[in-house]
Each structure stands twice: as structure tokens, then as C-alpha cells.
Amino acid sequence: LRDQSYLIREEARNKVVSLVTHWSPEDQGELLRDQDLVKLLKNGSNFVRGEMAELLAELRAKEYAKDIAVLLKDSDAGARSSAASALGELGAAEYAKDIAELLKKEETVEVRHTAAAALGSFKTPTEYTTQVLKDESSSIRLFGVYDLARLGKEHAKDIVVLLKDTDAEVRIAAIEALVKLQAKEYATEI
């Protein structure tokens, strides 16, 4: 996991995940403590920091969400992206505000997309979930449409606003989402 080669680190991570997925949560926690994997979140290599955030998410190690959240302010875009993704995968909605702040301030498109996807991945919407619908980037607004549609019909009222979006793809996605949600009350707007 500390090797300089990305391919070796990736293979090692995959093997660790496949090995421990059959272990009990107690044994998984013991591995994390014994191997000091969490310490790798502070490694000098941006690749290692990001990969460790992803590994902890794959291991469902939500107890380390606080450690992962620190990477949202990392100097490296890849580490920030991995942290947002990991927090979303862990369902760590308590960090929604931090992820929303990353989305708002981030300049790197990939990181913004990952942050938007993370906000939409929480099982229940947060006050920040609809923030993506007002984003300047049409691709971020698209994430918002899909995520709100996935969360259910009660969000049709938020989606219907995007029928007047400046971007045609966003408008089409809003129509498709409203149809999928069977939001008949908005038929005249469509």
C-alpha cells in the first residue's frame, strides 16, 4: 500500500478489500489499528492519501470519516476528490456542509463533480442537496436532477424549476426525472 507504483498500490488495495470483506467488523477494525492504515491519510504522497480514503470507504470504516474529512482541504485535487467520494460512499452526511463548501470553492471540475455526486449519495437529503441545482455548471446541475429524482417524488418541486434552465440537457433531464417520478401535478409545466 506504500509502494511508489500506482499499479502495485491499486492491486494491494483490491486484495486487502477482497480479503477483509469476509471478516467481521471487529476484525476489520483490528486490521485498521494494527496496520496503521489511517496514518496513511497523512502520508506525504497525495496518491496514497487519496487511496487510503477510498480504501477506508470500501472497508465501510465510517468511524474514520473525521480523518477522511480533513482531506477535503488537502492541497491536492485528487486527495480532495477521493475524500468527497469516500464520505459520500460512507454516508457521512454530517460532513455535507464541508462537501458543499468544497463544491462552492473548488476550481477543479473533477473535484466539483465528485463533491456534487457525494452530496447526492446520502440516503436522505441535506440542506445542501438542492445547492447543486443552482450551480453555475450545467454538469453539476445535472447531478442534482438525477440525485433528487433518486431520492423520490417529494423532490419534484425542486426539479420542476430546472424546466426553465438555460442548458438544454438540464431541461431534458428535468423532464425525464419528472416523468420517471410520475409527477403528474407538473404535467402543464412540462
Side-chain angles (χ1 to χ4, degrees), residues 117-153:
L119 285 172
S121 68
F122 300 130
K123 288 188 168 111
T124 55
T126 68
E127 61 187 283
Y128 305 101
T129 306
T130 57
Q131 172 184 327
V132 297
L133 299 178
K134 299 172 187 158
D135 197 89
E136 63 188 37
S137 167
S138 62
S139 60
I140 299 294
R141 294 192 304 275
L142 276 171
F143 275 109
V145 170
Y146 297 132
D147 292 334
L148 286 174
R150 181 185 50 77
L151 290 170
K153 188 174 179 178

PDB file of all heavy atoms in Angstrom, residues 117-153:
ATOM      1  N   ALA A 117     -21.672  14.645  -6.596  1.00  0.00           N
ATOM      2  CA  ALA A 117     -22.130  13.259  -6.502  1.00  0.00           C
ATOM      3  C   ALA A 117     -22.190  12.803  -5.049  1.00  0.00           C
ATOM      4  O   ALA A 117     -23.124  12.100  -4.646  1.00  0.00           O
ATOM      5  CB  ALA A 117     -21.208  12.352  -7.312  1.00  0.00           C
ATOM      6  N   ALA A 118     -21.225  13.220  -4.245  1.00  0.00           N
ATOM      7  CA  ALA A 118     -21.214  12.847  -2.828  1.00  0.00           C
ATOM      8  C   ALA A 118     -22.427  13.433  -2.112  1.00  0.00           C
ATOM      9  O   ALA A 118     -23.083  12.743  -1.320  1.00  0.00           O
ATOM     10  CB  ALA A 118     -19.928  13.320  -2.162  1.00  0.00           C
ATOM     11  N   LEU A 119     -22.740  14.681  -2.392  1.00  0.00           N
ATOM     12  CA  LEU A 119     -23.916  15.306  -1.766  1.00  0.00           C
ATOM     13  C   LEU A 119     -25.187  14.559  -2.137  1.00  0.00           C
ATOM     14  O   LEU A 119     -26.089  14.409  -1.317  1.00  0.00           O
ATOM     15  CB  LEU A 119     -24.041  16.773  -2.183  1.00  0.00           C
ATOM     16  CG  LEU A 119     -23.056  17.735  -1.527  1.00  0.00           C
ATOM     17  CD1 LEU A 119     -23.156  19.118  -2.162  1.00  0.00           C
ATOM     18  CD2 LEU A 119     -23.295  17.814  -0.027  1.00  0.00           C
ATOM     19  N   GLY A 120     -25.239  14.077  -3.363  1.00  0.00           N
ATOM     20  CA  GLY A 120     -26.425  13.359  -3.813  1.00  0.00           C
ATOM     21  C   GLY A 120     -26.478  11.911  -3.381  1.00  0.00           C
ATOM     22  O   GLY A 120     -27.505  11.257  -3.525  1.00  0.00           O
ATOM     23  N   SER A 121     -25.391  11.406  -2.833  1.00  0.00           N
ATOM     24  CA  SER A 121     -25.360   9.992  -2.473  1.00  0.00           C
ATOM     25  C   SER A 121     -25.925   9.692  -1.094  1.00  0.00           C
ATOM     26  O   SER A 121     -26.171   8.531  -0.771  1.00  0.00           O
ATOM     27  CB  SER A 121     -23.930   9.450  -2.565  1.00  0.00           C
ATOM     28  OG  SER A 121     -23.130  10.037  -1.563  1.00  0.00           O
ATOM     29  N   PHE A 122     -26.141  10.719  -0.300  1.00  0.00           N
ATOM     30  CA  PHE A 122     -26.672  10.482   1.035  1.00  0.00           C
ATOM     31  C   PHE A 122     -28.103   9.977   0.929  1.00  0.00           C
ATOM     32  O   PHE A 122     -28.880  10.437   0.095  1.00  0.00           O
ATOM     33  CB  PHE A 122     -26.601  11.749   1.885  1.00  0.00           C
ATOM     34  CG  PHE A 122     -25.194  12.261   2.064  1.00  0.00           C
ATOM     35  CD1 PHE A 122     -24.883  13.575   1.816  1.00  0.00           C
ATOM     36  CD2 PHE A 122     -24.177  11.403   2.463  1.00  0.00           C
ATOM     37  CE1 PHE A 122     -23.587  14.051   1.968  1.00  0.00           C
ATOM     38  CE2 PHE A 122     -22.875  11.857   2.604  1.00  0.00           C
ATOM     39  CZ  PHE A 122     -22.584  13.189   2.364  1.00  0.00           C
ATOM     40  N   LYS A 123     -28.457   9.040   1.782  1.00  0.00           N
ATOM     41  CA  LYS A 123     -29.775   8.405   1.702  1.00  0.00           C
ATOM     42  C   LYS A 123     -30.912   9.377   1.951  1.00  0.00           C
ATOM     43  O   LYS A 123     -32.003   9.225   1.433  1.00  0.00           O
ATOM     44  CB  LYS A 123     -29.845   7.249   2.691  1.00  0.00           C
ATOM     45  CG  LYS A 123     -29.002   6.078   2.242  1.00  0.00           C
ATOM     46  CD  LYS A 123     -29.215   4.876   3.110  1.00  0.00           C
ATOM     47  CE  LYS A 123     -28.608   3.694   2.462  1.00  0.00           C
ATOM     48  NZ  LYS A 123     -27.544   3.062   2.921  1.00  0.00           N
ATOM     49  N   THR A 124     -30.654  10.374   2.758  1.00  0.00           N
ATOM     50  CA  THR A 124     -31.669  11.403   2.986  1.00  0.00           C
ATOM     51  C   THR A 124     -31.059  12.732   2.571  1.00  0.00           C
ATOM     52  O   THR A 124     -29.867  12.961   2.778  1.00  0.00           O
ATOM     53  CB  THR A 124     -32.115  11.466   4.462  1.00  0.00           C
ATOM     54  OG1 THR A 124     -30.956  11.656   5.282  1.00  0.00           O
ATOM     55  CG2 THR A 124     -32.817  10.191   4.883  1.00  0.00           C
ATOM     56  N   PRO A 125     -31.855  13.600   1.987  1.00  0.00           N
ATOM     57  CA  PRO A 125     -31.296  14.874   1.529  1.00  0.00           C
ATOM     58  C   PRO A 125     -30.886  15.751   2.708  1.00  0.00           C
ATOM     59  O   PRO A 125     -31.457  15.665   3.786  1.00  0.00           O
ATOM     60  CB  PRO A 125     -32.442  15.509   0.749  1.00  0.00           C
ATOM     61  CG  PRO A 125     -33.666  14.857   1.269  1.00  0.00           C
ATOM     62  CD  PRO A 125     -33.274  13.485   1.728  1.00  0.00           C
ATOM     63  N   THR A 126     -29.898  16.556   2.468  1.00  0.00           N
ATOM     64  CA  THR A 126     -29.476  17.538   3.462  1.00  0.00           C
ATOM     65  C   THR A 126     -29.868  18.906   2.921  1.00  0.00           C
ATOM     66  O   THR A 126     -30.318  19.033   1.779  1.00  0.00           O
ATOM     67  CB  THR A 126     -27.954  17.494   3.672  1.00  0.00           C
ATOM     68  OG1 THR A 126     -27.321  17.975   2.478  1.00  0.00           O
ATOM     69  CG2 THR A 126     -27.471  16.081   3.984  1.00  0.00           C
ATOM     70  N   GLU A 127     -29.678  19.920   3.720  1.00  0.00           N
ATOM     71  CA  GLU A 127     -29.991  21.267   3.246  1.00  0.00           C
ATOM     72  C   GLU A 127     -29.098  21.665   2.068  1.00  0.00           C
ATOM     73  O   GLU A 127     -29.396  22.607   1.348  1.00  0.00           O
ATOM     74  CB  GLU A 127     -29.841  22.273   4.387  1.00  0.00           C
ATOM     75  CG  GLU A 127     -28.424  22.325   4.958  1.00  0.00           C
ATOM     76  CD  GLU A 127     -28.303  23.199   6.183  1.00  0.00           C
ATOM     77  OE1 GLU A 127     -28.268  24.429   6.020  1.00  0.00           O
ATOM     78  OE2 GLU A 127     -28.260  22.640   7.290  1.00  0.00           O
ATOM     79  N   TYR A 128     -28.020  20.913   1.841  1.00  0.00           N
ATOM     80  CA  TYR A 128     -27.085  21.242   0.767  1.00  0.00           C
ATOM     81  C   TYR A 128     -27.393  20.494  -0.528  1.00  0.00           C
ATOM     82  O   TYR A 128     -26.820  20.796  -1.564  1.00  0.00           O
ATOM     83  CB  TYR A 128     -25.654  20.934   1.216  1.00  0.00           C
ATOM     84  CG  TYR A 128     -25.316  21.632   2.502  1.00  0.00           C
ATOM     85  CD1 TYR A 128     -25.338  20.950   3.707  1.00  0.00           C
ATOM     86  CD2 TYR A 128     -25.046  22.995   2.521  1.00  0.00           C
ATOM     87  CE1 TYR A 128     -25.073  21.598   4.897  1.00  0.00           C
ATOM     88  CE2 TYR A 128     -24.785  23.652   3.707  1.00  0.00           C
ATOM     89  CZ  TYR A 128     -24.794  22.950   4.892  1.00  0.00           C
ATOM     90  OH  TYR A 128     -24.546  23.597   6.066  1.00  0.00           O
ATOM     91  N   THR A 129     -28.282  19.514  -0.466  1.00  0.00           N
ATOM     92  CA  THR A 129     -28.575  18.693  -1.646  1.00  0.00           C
ATOM     93  C   THR A 129     -29.082  19.541  -2.799  1.00  0.00           C
ATOM     94  O   THR A 129     -28.681  19.355  -3.946  1.00  0.00           O
ATOM     95  CB  THR A 129     -29.596  17.593  -1.303  1.00  0.00           C
ATOM     96  OG1 THR A 129     -29.109  16.855  -0.182  1.00  0.00           O
ATOM     97  CG2 THR A 129     -29.797  16.644  -2.466  1.00  0.00           C
ATOM     98  N   THR A 130     -29.963  20.497  -2.513  1.00  0.00           N
ATOM     99  CA  THR A 130     -30.513  21.322  -3.589  1.00  0.00           C
ATOM    100  C   THR A 130     -29.562  22.439  -4.030  1.00  0.00           C
ATOM    101  O   THR A 130     -29.818  23.078  -5.039  1.00  0.00           O
ATOM    102  CB  THR A 130     -31.871  21.929  -3.175  1.00  0.00           C
ATOM    103  OG1 THR A 130     -31.694  22.686  -1.983  1.00  0.00           O
ATOM    104  CG2 THR A 130     -32.917  20.844  -2.965  1.00  0.00           C
ATOM    105  N   GLN A 131     -28.460  22.636  -3.297  1.00  0.00           N
ATOM    106  CA  GLN A 131     -27.482  23.655  -3.679  1.00  0.00           C
ATOM    107  C   GLN A 131     -26.955  23.401  -5.082  1.00  0.00           C
ATOM    108  O   GLN A 131     -26.723  24.338  -5.840  1.00  0.00           O
ATOM    109  CB  GLN A 131     -26.320  23.667  -2.679  1.00  0.00           C
ATOM    110  CG  GLN A 131     -25.152  24.550  -3.097  1.00  0.00           C
ATOM    111  CD  GLN A 131     -23.995  24.446  -2.113  1.00  0.00           C
ATOM    112  OE1 GLN A 131     -24.187  24.268  -0.925  1.00  0.00           O
ATOM    113  NE2 GLN A 131     -22.788  24.564  -2.627  1.00  0.00           N
ATOM    114  N   VAL A 132     -26.818  22.137  -5.450  1.00  0.00           N
ATOM    115  CA  VAL A 132     -26.262  21.805  -6.756  1.00  0.00           C
ATOM    116  C   VAL A 132     -27.170  22.253  -7.894  1.00  0.00           C
ATOM    117  O   VAL A 132     -26.713  22.480  -9.006  1.00  0.00           O
ATOM    118  CB  VAL A 132     -25.941  20.303  -6.880  1.00  0.00           C
ATOM    119  CG1 VAL A 132     -24.879  19.886  -5.890  1.00  0.00           C
ATOM    120  CG2 VAL A 132     -27.159  19.458  -6.740  1.00  0.00           C
ATOM    121  N   LEU A 133     -28.466  22.422  -7.618  1.00  0.00           N
ATOM    122  CA  LEU A 133     -29.396  22.862  -8.666  1.00  0.00           C
ATOM    123  C   LEU A 133     -29.153  24.312  -9.073  1.00  0.00           C
ATOM    124  O   LEU A 133     -29.579  24.735 -10.137  1.00  0.00           O
ATOM    125  CB  LEU A 133     -30.841  22.706  -8.194  1.00  0.00           C
ATOM    126  CG  LEU A 133     -31.286  21.286  -7.848  1.00  0.00           C
ATOM    127  CD1 LEU A 133     -32.726  21.301  -7.358  1.00  0.00           C
ATOM    128  CD2 LEU A 133     -31.122  20.360  -9.038  1.00  0.00           C
ATOM    129  N   LYS A 134     -28.474  25.061  -8.236  1.00  0.00           N
ATOM    130  CA  LYS A 134     -28.217  26.481  -8.505  1.00  0.00           C
ATOM    131  C   LYS A 134     -26.785  26.730  -8.964  1.00  0.00           C
ATOM    132  O   LYS A 134     -26.377  27.869  -9.134  1.00  0.00           O
ATOM    133  CB  LYS A 134     -28.510  27.289  -7.237  1.00  0.00           C
ATOM    134  CG  LYS A 134     -29.945  27.172  -6.781  1.00  0.00           C
ATOM    135  CD  LYS A 134     -30.142  27.821  -5.433  1.00  0.00           C
ATOM    136  CE  LYS A 134     -31.552  27.514  -4.957  1.00  0.00           C
ATOM    137  NZ  LYS A 134     -31.684  27.623  -3.526  1.00  0.00           N
ATOM    138  N   ASP A 135     -26.032  25.657  -9.159  1.00  0.00           N
ATOM    139  CA  ASP A 135     -24.627  25.794  -9.520  1.00  0.00           C
ATOM    140  C   ASP A 135     -24.479  26.409 -10.902  1.00  0.00           C
ATOM    141  O   ASP A 135     -25.342  26.241 -11.773  1.00  0.00           O
ATOM    142  CB  ASP A 135     -23.939  24.429  -9.483  1.00  0.00           C
ATOM    143  CG  ASP A 135     -22.436  24.552  -9.446  1.00  0.00           C
ATOM    144  OD1 ASP A 135     -21.889  24.627  -8.333  1.00  0.00           O
ATOM    145  OD2 ASP A 135     -21.809  24.601 -10.526  1.00  0.00           O
ATOM    146  N   GLU A 136     -23.380  27.105 -11.121  1.00  0.00           N
ATOM    147  CA  GLU A 136     -23.131  27.739 -12.429  1.00  0.00           C
ATOM    148  C   GLU A 136     -22.835  26.712 -13.520  1.00  0.00           C
ATOM    149  O   GLU A 136     -23.040  26.978 -14.696  1.00  0.00           O
ATOM    150  CB  GLU A 136     -21.966  28.727 -12.312  1.00  0.00           C
ATOM    151  CG  GLU A 136     -20.654  28.061 -11.946  1.00  0.00           C
ATOM    152  CD  GLU A 136     -19.530  29.030 -11.637  1.00  0.00           C
ATOM    153  OE1 GLU A 136     -19.790  30.085 -11.044  1.00  0.00           O
ATOM    154  OE2 GLU A 136     -18.391  28.714 -12.016  1.00  0.00           O
ATOM    155  N   SER A 137     -22.383  25.535 -13.129  1.00  0.00           N
ATOM    156  CA  SER A 137     -22.033  24.500 -14.099  1.00  0.00           C
ATOM    157  C   SER A 137     -23.248  23.627 -14.418  1.00  0.00           C
ATOM    158  O   SER A 137     -23.880  23.059 -13.527  1.00  0.00           O
ATOM    159  CB  SER A 137     -20.915  23.614 -13.537  1.00  0.00           C
ATOM    160  OG  SER A 137     -20.776  22.448 -14.316  1.00  0.00           O
ATOM    161  N   SER A 138     -23.541  23.498 -15.702  1.00  0.00           N
ATOM    162  CA  SER A 138     -24.687  22.671 -16.094  1.00  0.00           C
ATOM    163  C   SER A 138     -24.470  21.209 -15.730  1.00  0.00           C
ATOM    164  O   SER A 138     -25.419  20.497 -15.379  1.00  0.00           O
ATOM    165  CB  SER A 138     -24.960  22.813 -17.593  1.00  0.00           C
ATOM    166  OG  SER A 138     -23.861  22.363 -18.353  1.00  0.00           O
ATOM    167  N   SER A 139     -23.229  20.725 -15.788  1.00  0.00           N
ATOM    168  CA  SER A 139     -22.986  19.323 -15.433  1.00  0.00           C
ATOM    169  C   SER A 139     -23.244  19.072 -13.948  1.00  0.00           C
ATOM    170  O   SER A 139     -23.733  18.005 -13.574  1.00  0.00           O
ATOM    171  CB  SER A 139     -21.570  18.894 -15.817  1.00  0.00           C
ATOM    172  OG  SER A 139     -20.611  19.669 -15.151  1.00  0.00           O
ATOM    173  N   ILE A 140     -22.980  20.056 -13.118  1.00  0.00           N
ATOM    174  CA  ILE A 140     -23.271  19.928 -11.685  1.00  0.00           C
ATOM    175  C   ILE A 140     -24.789  19.939 -11.478  1.00  0.00           C
ATOM    176  O   ILE A 140     -25.323  19.149 -10.695  1.00  0.00           O
ATOM    177  CB  ILE A 140     -22.610  21.063 -10.882  1.00  0.00           C
ATOM    178  CG1 ILE A 140     -21.081  21.030 -11.034  1.00  0.00           C
ATOM    179  CG2 ILE A 140     -23.026  21.011  -9.418  1.00  0.00           C
ATOM    180  CD1 ILE A 140     -20.395  19.830 -10.448  1.00  0.00           C
ATOM    181  N   ARG A 141     -25.496  20.789 -12.210  1.00  0.00           N
ATOM    182  CA  ARG A 141     -26.964  20.809 -12.097  1.00  0.00           C
ATOM    183  C   ARG A 141     -27.559  19.477 -12.544  1.00  0.00           C
ATOM    184  O   ARG A 141     -28.547  19.007 -11.978  1.00  0.00           O
ATOM    185  CB  ARG A 141     -27.554  21.977 -12.890  1.00  0.00           C
ATOM    186  CG  ARG A 141     -27.170  23.345 -12.307  1.00  0.00           C
ATOM    187  CD  ARG A 141     -27.968  24.489 -12.907  1.00  0.00           C
ATOM    188  NE  ARG A 141     -27.916  24.602 -14.348  1.00  0.00           N
ATOM    189  CZ  ARG A 141     -26.974  25.223 -15.057  1.00  0.00           C
ATOM    190  NH1 ARG A 141     -25.960  25.805 -14.443  1.00  0.00           N
ATOM    191  NH2 ARG A 141     -27.046  25.292 -16.382  1.00  0.00           N
ATOM    192  N   LEU A 142     -26.946  18.843 -13.555  1.00  0.00           N
ATOM    193  CA  LEU A 142     -27.396  17.520 -13.996  1.00  0.00           C
ATOM    194  C   LEU A 142     -27.296  16.505 -12.852  1.00  0.00           C
ATOM    195  O   LEU A 142     -28.213  15.709 -12.633  1.00  0.00           O
ATOM    196  CB  LEU A 142     -26.574  17.027 -15.180  1.00  0.00           C
ATOM    197  CG  LEU A 142     -27.008  17.507 -16.553  1.00  0.00           C
ATOM    198  CD1 LEU A 142     -25.981  17.120 -17.606  1.00  0.00           C
ATOM    199  CD2 LEU A 142     -28.369  16.968 -16.912  1.00  0.00           C
ATOM    200  N   PHE A 143     -26.168  16.538 -12.132  1.00  0.00           N
ATOM    201  CA  PHE A 143     -26.034  15.665 -10.961  1.00  0.00           C
ATOM    202  C   PHE A 143     -27.203  15.892 -10.012  1.00  0.00           C
ATOM    203  O   PHE A 143     -27.783  14.947  -9.485  1.00  0.00           O
ATOM    204  CB  PHE A 143     -24.732  15.954 -10.198  1.00  0.00           C
ATOM    205  CG  PHE A 143     -23.531  15.235 -10.720  1.00  0.00           C
ATOM    206  CD1 PHE A 143     -22.539  15.933 -11.393  1.00  0.00           C
ATOM    207  CD2 PHE A 143     -23.372  13.872 -10.522  1.00  0.00           C
ATOM    208  CE1 PHE A 143     -21.408  15.280 -11.865  1.00  0.00           C
ATOM    209  CE2 PHE A 143     -22.254  13.207 -10.985  1.00  0.00           C
ATOM    210  CZ  PHE A 143     -21.268  13.921 -11.659  1.00  0.00           C
ATOM    211  N   GLY A 144     -27.525  17.145  -9.797  1.00  0.00           N
ATOM    212  CA  GLY A 144     -28.610  17.474  -8.878  1.00  0.00           C
ATOM    213  C   GLY A 144     -29.943  16.896  -9.311  1.00  0.00           C
ATOM    214  O   GLY A 144     -30.697  16.375  -8.493  1.00  0.00           O
ATOM    215  N   VAL A 145     -30.238  16.994 -10.582  1.00  0.00           N
ATOM    216  CA  VAL A 145     -31.502  16.448 -11.094  1.00  0.00           C
ATOM    217  C   VAL A 145     -31.561  14.947 -10.841  1.00  0.00           C
ATOM    218  O   VAL A 145     -32.550  14.431 -10.300  1.00  0.00           O
ATOM    219  CB  VAL A 145     -31.667  16.748 -12.603  1.00  0.00           C
ATOM    220  CG1 VAL A 145     -32.853  15.983 -13.179  1.00  0.00           C
ATOM    221  CG2 VAL A 145     -31.842  18.236 -12.839  1.00  0.00           C
ATOM    222  N   TYR A 146     -30.510  14.235 -11.229  1.00  0.00           N
ATOM    223  CA  TYR A 146     -30.504  12.778 -11.075  1.00  0.00           C
ATOM    224  C   TYR A 146     -30.575  12.369  -9.610  1.00  0.00           C
ATOM    225  O   TYR A 146     -31.278  11.425  -9.256  1.00  0.00           O
ATOM    226  CB  TYR A 146     -29.274  12.164 -11.758  1.00  0.00           C
ATOM    227  CG  TYR A 146     -29.247  12.387 -13.245  1.00  0.00           C
ATOM    228  CD1 TYR A 146     -28.107  12.847 -13.887  1.00  0.00           C
ATOM    229  CD2 TYR A 146     -30.378  12.159 -14.031  1.00  0.00           C
ATOM    230  CE1 TYR A 146     -28.081  13.051 -15.264  1.00  0.00           C
ATOM    231  CE2 TYR A 146     -30.364  12.363 -15.402  1.00  0.00           C
ATOM    232  CZ  TYR A 146     -29.214  12.810 -16.010  1.00  0.00           C
ATOM    233  OH  TYR A 146     -29.200  13.014 -17.361  1.00  0.00           O
ATOM    234  N   ASP A 147     -29.833  13.072  -8.773  1.00  0.00           N
ATOM    235  CA  ASP A 147     -29.812  12.712  -7.352  1.00  0.00           C
ATOM    236  C   ASP A 147     -31.155  12.970  -6.689  1.00  0.00           C
ATOM    237  O   ASP A 147     -31.634  12.150  -5.908  1.00  0.00           O
ATOM    238  CB  ASP A 147     -28.702  13.471  -6.626  1.00  0.00           C
ATOM    239  CG  ASP A 147     -27.322  13.011  -7.072  1.00  0.00           C
ATOM    240  OD1 ASP A 147     -27.193  11.849  -7.515  1.00  0.00           O
ATOM    241  OD2 ASP A 147     -26.385  13.806  -6.986  1.00  0.00           O
ATOM    242  N   LEU A 148     -31.764  14.102  -6.997  1.00  0.00           N
ATOM    243  CA  LEU A 148     -33.069  14.385  -6.395  1.00  0.00           C
ATOM    244  C   LEU A 148     -34.136  13.421  -6.904  1.00  0.00           C
ATOM    245  O   LEU A 148     -35.002  12.998  -6.142  1.00  0.00           O
ATOM    246  CB  LEU A 148     -33.474  15.831  -6.651  1.00  0.00           C
ATOM    247  CG  LEU A 148     -32.719  16.862  -5.817  1.00  0.00           C
ATOM    248  CD1 LEU A 148     -33.089  18.272  -6.244  1.00  0.00           C
ATOM    249  CD2 LEU A 148     -32.985  16.674  -4.344  1.00  0.00           C
ATOM    250  N   ALA A 149     -34.059  13.046  -8.159  1.00  0.00           N
ATOM    251  CA  ALA A 149     -35.018  12.071  -8.691  1.00  0.00           C
ATOM    252  C   ALA A 149     -34.858  10.730  -7.974  1.00  0.00           C
ATOM    253  O   ALA A 149     -35.842  10.073  -7.639  1.00  0.00           O
ATOM    254  CB  ALA A 149     -34.822  11.902 -10.193  1.00  0.00           C
ATOM    255  N   ARG A 150     -33.611  10.366  -7.695  1.00  0.00           N
ATOM    256  CA  ARG A 150     -33.350   9.118  -6.980  1.00  0.00           C
ATOM    257  C   ARG A 150     -33.917   9.163  -5.560  1.00  0.00           C
ATOM    258  O   ARG A 150     -34.369   8.162  -5.021  1.00  0.00           O
ATOM    259  CB  ARG A 150     -31.842   8.869  -6.928  1.00  0.00           C
ATOM    260  CG  ARG A 150     -31.440   7.587  -6.237  1.00  0.00           C
ATOM    261  CD  ARG A 150     -29.924   7.461  -6.105  1.00  0.00           C
ATOM    262  NE  ARG A 150     -29.249   8.605  -5.543  1.00  0.00           N
ATOM    263  CZ  ARG A 150     -29.234   8.919  -4.246  1.00  0.00           C
ATOM    264  NH1 ARG A 150     -29.858   8.185  -3.379  1.00  0.00           N
ATOM    265  NH2 ARG A 150     -28.584   9.984  -3.815  1.00  0.00           N
ATOM    266  N   LEU A 151     -33.933  10.342  -4.959  1.00  0.00           N
ATOM    267  CA  LEU A 151     -34.415  10.477  -3.584  1.00  0.00           C
ATOM    268  C   LEU A 151     -35.938  10.424  -3.479  1.00  0.00           C
ATOM    269  O   LEU A 151     -36.475  10.237  -2.400  1.00  0.00           O
ATOM    270  CB  LEU A 151     -33.880  11.767  -2.964  1.00  0.00           C
ATOM    271  CG  LEU A 151     -32.380  11.761  -2.674  1.00  0.00           C
ATOM    272  CD1 LEU A 151     -31.895  13.147  -2.288  1.00  0.00           C
ATOM    273  CD2 LEU A 151     -32.036  10.745  -1.605  1.00  0.00           C
ATOM    274  N   GLY A 152     -36.640  10.636  -4.595  1.00  0.00           N
ATOM    275  CA  GLY A 152     -38.084  10.429  -4.552  1.00  0.00           C
ATOM    276  C   GLY A 152     -38.919  11.603  -5.022  1.00  0.00           C
ATOM    277  O   GLY A 152     -38.443  12.715  -5.243  1.00  0.00           O
ATOM    278  N   LYS A 153     -40.206  11.308  -5.166  1.00  0.00           N
ATOM    279  CA  LYS A 153     -41.176  12.234  -5.739  1.00  0.00           C
ATOM    280  C   LYS A 153     -41.315  13.534  -4.944  1.00  0.00           C
ATOM    281  O   LYS A 153     -41.645  14.576  -5.511  1.00  0.00           O
ATOM    282  CB  LYS A 153     -42.541  11.542  -5.850  1.00  0.00           C
ATOM    283  CG  LYS A 153     -43.559  12.355  -6.612  1.00  0.00           C
ATOM    284  CD  LYS A 153     -44.833  11.583  -6.820  1.00  0.00           C
ATOM    285  CE  LYS A 153     -45.841  12.442  -7.577  1.00  0.00           C
ATOM    286  NZ  LYS A 153     -47.062  11.700  -7.839  1.00  0.00           N
TER     287      LYS A 153
END
